[in-house]
Amino acid sequence: METQIQANGVHGAHHEDERPLRLAAFEMEISEGTRRNGNWMSAAFHNVTAVVSAGVLGLPNAMVFLTWGPGIAVLILSWIVTLFSFWQLIQLHERPPNKRFNRYHELGQEAFGKTRGLWIVVPLQLLVELSVDILYMVVGGQALQNIYNMNCSGDCPLSNLGANPYRRTYIWILVFGSVYFLLVQLPNLSSLSKLSLAAAIMSIGYSTIAWIVPVALNHQHNDMTNGNGLVSVTPRYHLPYYDGTTRGGKFHHTGTEAYVLSIFNALSTVAFAYAGHNVSLEIQATLPSTPEEPSRIAMWRGVKLAYAIIALCYFPVALICYWAYGNDLKNSNLGILRYESWPVWLATAANLMVVIHVIGSYLIYAMPLFDMMELVLVRKWGLHPTFKLRLITRSLYVGFTMVMAMTFPFFRGLLGFFGGFAYAPTTYFLPCCMWLAMCKPNRWSLEWTVNWICIILGVLLMLVGSIGGFWQIYVEAYAYKFYPN
């Protein structure tokens, strides 16, 4: 009996000794540092997939309220500022030398202190990754519904045609989101390389279709009222008129406040479109680094290519679609991919590309969050890092984002609110704050001044964008019925 007790004690002690080893092995498993097999090309298409989001489809609508001059200026300024802040994160990834910050919150802790950095960065990063995945659920469901609407003839019970623009959308979000229960079981960011490449190609594809067709049609639209086929239409570019009535289930304010709030929401929409910095450090962590060739060289090369592609996607879509349709885009989101004057097969292909792209983008943003959740469950709660843990936690996450998207399927409102409240800090001014804290440039030097200008612009964008986005959610939700029959 005594021998058995001693044996059990030895076994228990051995089991306790295994726990730190098991935790260390799990931390190594989720660390991209053990799989630094990426290159500048993989960094490029990961960044294209992360940055060229469905927000590009909101840019023509933003142009309606910004108009030509201010709209072009905001697009160019956002492109420059976000490229600059991207460069800062790339440089800070290995600063000081021989130490890599593979997560946004790790860099925040280095810059602001262990506790303060965690509380500054982690809530924002969680909000960004969660909000973008909810929005991608909405986008994917709406794209599938667009395909159904365009190809269904006769009685179409699952369409959203008619007075309620969100009718039956929740069903399509459920259909779209179901695929994630399988895909989220992929282990890490490196395993998404091929899917990310496909998503990047799809984003370029539907962005190109979105502006090529208006150029080919040259202001021609289908005359749906008189049945005259394609007729020339002169677009209107002045600020749209609000008459204070309910049209299409939406309430419209009157007066200056409606214009101002719509402009705020448009600015926030642009902010969302340029967001991708939240996963930039995780992407750079997949690249090898040596003293002779640090990872920042390959990463910066990939980001330059990615931003060239981003410019080729964003500027033509925003400017040419606005040139072609003018104020007709004021209530449009994914509607630019289903205009009646488009060939049905081409509009269907474009919406299918949107579906494939947001599948990849959802996973790009979800993987860092999965790593964070699972590490907390293993480290703090003492759970075993098994496949069962991954299956349960990731499936619950998919279910939560799906339910949130089905409940609040407001594309423009969510785009604007999260663009201002979450994306503006992590994209426009938080990297500048980290740079000032870690690099400590001389006060009133050019470097110091440029960073403070970006910080001030970013804070203003966060404030006005959040207000405008919240107002847009109110407008879209005014006559909305949850889960309508």
Side-chain angles (χ1 to χ4, degrees), residues 35-40 42-43 286-288:
R35 293 179 298 279
R36 304 194 196 279
N37 54 2
N39 53 50
W40 72 273
S42 66
T286 66
L287 305 177

Side-chain angles (χ1 to χ4, degrees), residues 61-310:
N61 173 265
M63 286 295 299
V64 171
F65 298 100
L66 295 175
T67 67
W68 282 115
I72 294 173
V74 168
L75 287 173
I76 294 175
L77 183 62
S78 293
W79 190 89
I80 294 172
V81 170
T82 56
L83 179 60
F84 172 65
S85 60
F86 226 128
W87 175 83
Q88 290 180 311
L89 290 176
I90 292 170
Q91 302 303 313
L92 294 175
H93 177 75
E94 293 179 282
R95 195 182 188 102
N98 303 320
K99 184 177 182 181
R100 301 186 69 168
F101 302 104
N102 297 332
R103 301 287 184 270
Y104 209 129
H105 70 270
E106 293 175 3
L107 185 60
Q109 288 177 295
E110 180 71 17
F112 307 125
K114 189 172 182 180
T115 302
R116 192 186 340 176
L118 201 66
W119 281 103
I120 291 175
V121 176
V122 170
L124 286 173
Q125 191 174 21
L126 290 177
L127 181 61
V128 165
E129 291 165 351
L130 183 62
S131 63
V132 77
D133 283 344
I134 293 172
L135 186 63
Y136 283 157
M137 283 281 188
V138 175
V139 172
Q142 290 185 352
L144 286 179
Q145 191 166 36
N146 282 349
I147 295 172
Y148 175 80
N149 291 344
M150 292 182 293
N151 292 273
C152 177
S153 58
D155 183 27
C156 301
L158 297 181
S159 75
N160 65 338
L161 302 178
N164 187 349
Y166 301 109
R167 183 172 177 264
R168 301 285 190 265
T169 301
Y170 68 94
I171 298 176
W172 290 105
I173 294 173
L174 178 64
V175 172
F176 172 76
S178 299
V179 70
Y180 287 119
F181 287 104
L182 176 63
L183 292 178
V184 294
Q185 304 310 321
L186 292 170
N188 50 60
L189 197 59
S190 295
S191 63
L192 300 178
S193 295
K194 293 181 180 178
L195 179 58
S196 181
L197 175 60
I201 294 172
M202 293 300 103
S203 66
I204 298 171
Y206 71 73
S207 299
T208 303
I209 292 173
W211 66 265
I212 283 288
V213 175
V215 169
L217 293 176
N218 191 22
H219 294 310
Q220 295 185 88
H221 301 258
N222 265 342
D223 186 355
M224 305 298 291
T225 302
N226 301 315
N228 294 325
L230 289 175
V231 296
S232 294
V233 177
T234 302
R236 296 164 298 163
Y237 301 117
H238 56 76
L239 284 172
Y241 175 68
Y242 287 92
D243 60 8
T245 61
T246 301
R247 299 194 305 275
K250 297 182 180 180
F251 177 74
H252 293 258
H253 285 274
T254 58
T256 305
E257 74 277 5
Y259 294 127
V260 172
L261 291 169
S262 295
I263 291 170
F264 287 176
N265 186 65
L267 292 171
S268 192
T269 298
V270 175
F272 185 98
Y274 282 99
H277 299 55
N278 308 281
V279 292
S280 63
L281 296 176
E282 285 84 351
I283 293 171
Q284 190 170 349
T286 66
L287 305 177
S289 184
T290 63
E292 296 77 22
E293 189 171 352
S295 63
R296 66 175 180 270
I297 296 176
M299 183 66 175
W300 179 235
R301 188 179 179 188
V303 167
K304 286 189 292 184
L305 175 59
Y307 257 67
I309 295 173
I310 290 164

Side-chain angles (χ1 to χ4, degrees), residues 353-428:
M353 291 177 184
V354 171
V355 171
I356 297 173
H357 173 230
V358 295
I359 286 175
S361 295
Y362 180 102
L363 295 172
I364 289 289
Y365 279 90
M367 283 299 173
L369 196 147
F370 291 156
D371 288 349
M372 199 180 304
M373 286 194 308
E374 291 164 14
L375 187 59
V376 168
L377 290 174
V378 171
R379 181 184 289 170
K380 301 295 185 182
W381 291 20
L383 301 179
H384 297 291
T386 61
F387 175 76
K388 183 178 179 181
L389 176 66
R390 176 191 297 174
L391 178 66
I392 294 174
T393 56
R394 298 187 179 191
S395 298
L396 288 174
Y397 176 82
V398 171
F400 176 76
T401 55
M402 183 189 298
V403 170
M404 291 298 293
M406 292 165 63
T407 307
F408 306 103
F410 311 127
F411 177 82
R412 288 175 57 205
L414 294 176
L415 196 70
F417 179 74
F418 289 128
F421 189 72
Y423 286 85
T426 56
T427 301
Y428 285 80

